């Protein structure tokens, strides 16, 4: 699936018009702390994303807190990146 903008600024997916319908998301169990070791749990994500898809939502905006993904200028938290993937 590839989503891009056409010459008129409309969303297109695989060459057809696409309307993104979604919302902001934080897991309710952990909120903004969701990426940290103390609060990470993949199961709420799986369950919530399955419910979102079943209700017809096709996009979600997640917020990455920089310190969890790059704790130092020369350090990337590969565990946080794997969780995001």
């Amino acid at each position: 699936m590839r989503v891009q903008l056409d010459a008129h600024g409309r969303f297109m997916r695989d060459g057809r018009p696409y309307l993104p319908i979604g919302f902001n998301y934080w897991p309710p169990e952990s909120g903004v702390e969701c990426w940290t070791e103390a609060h990470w749990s993949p199961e709420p994500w799986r369950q919530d994303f399955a419910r979102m898809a079943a209700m017809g939502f096709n996009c979600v905006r997640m917020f990455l807190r920089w310190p969890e993904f790059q704790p130092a200028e020369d350090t990337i938290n590969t565990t946080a990146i794997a969780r995001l993937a």
Side-chain angles (χ1 to χ4, degrees), residues 28-83:
E29 296 82 358
S30 56
V32 299
E33 300 294 324
C34 62
W35 303 108
T36 65
E37 190 65 35
H39 294 95
W40 172 253
S41 176
E43 197 53 36
W45 294 80
R46 287 186 191 104
Q47 293 172 358
D48 290 347
F49 275 63
R51 281 193 294 263
M52 289 180 237
M55 293 174 8
F57 294 101
N58 59 20
C59 68
V60 64
R61 180 170 43 185
M62 300 178 299
F63 299 91
L64 311 181
R65 294 189 340 171
W66 201 282
E68 277 111 28
F69 287 81
Q70 187 176 9
E73 184 176 322
D74 61 347
T75 305
I76 299 294
N77 182 341
T78 56
T79 300
I81 297 293
R83 290 173 180 160

Side-chain angles (χ1 to χ4, degrees), residues 5-12:
L5 296 177
D6 71 6
H8 303 285
R10 295 176 293 223
F11 285 102
M12 303 294 285

